[in-house]
Amino acid sequence: MNGVSTQPHVPLHLSMDDPEPMYRQIESQLRGFILSGVLQPGTRLPTIRALAHDLSCSVITTRRAYEDLERDGFIRTRVGRGTLVAEIPEEKMSAYRREEV
């Protein structure tokens, strides 16, 4: 392993027709990818600015989604390392999955 981590393509889609705010759309899609195992613990996520650029939305929108996910323990941000999918204990994952249903 060379220590260079590439950012995965995260297939997020924002809909202007969806009554849900854009930051919520981002948050719920990322949460779903994490809970389903599409995004594994330790996976580096795009920067707030890169994600905003990719989705053609504001930095404030992506920052809000990341802050909410970090507060809920799904991701963690470290200065100089970026934003990573957090390690979530299995019992907590099960509880989140039941909550989603």
Side-chain angles (χ1 to χ4, degrees):
M1 190 181 258
N2 61 8
V4 175
S5 169
T6 61
Q7 293 182 5
H9 170 69
V10 183
L12 296 173
H13 174 73
L14 296 181
S15 171
M16 299 305 270
D17 297 325
D18 191 331
E20 189 171 46
M22 284 196 283
Y23 78 90
R24 283 284 218 204
Q25 292 180 49
I26 296 167
E27 181 184 341
S28 64
Q29 289 178 53
L30 284 174
R31 185 183 309 259
F33 291 142
I34 293 167
L35 289 174
S36 67
V38 171
L39 293 174
Q40 295 290 315
T43 301
R44 185 180 307 273
L45 296 177
T47 65
I48 290 170
R49 288 186 188 281
L51 186 59
H53 179 267
D54 290 347
L55 296 175
S56 299
C57 67
S58 77
V59 171
I60 294 168
T61 298
T62 55
R63 179 178 294 127
R64 172 85 185 265
Y66 273 25
E67 285 173 350
D68 289 353
L69 287 166
E70 187 161 24
R71 183 191 64 240
D72 292 343
F74 284 93
I75 63 174
R76 57 186 164 83
T77 303
R78 299 290 177 254
V79 176
R81 295 195 49 150
T83 302
L84 307 171
V85 174
E87 186 73 44
I88 303 170
E90 186 54 44
E91 59 274 0
K92 198 170 182 181
M93 287 287 279
S94 295
Y96 281 125
R97 287 183 187 120
R98 281 191 304 274
E99 186 178 292
E100 291 291 317
V101 174

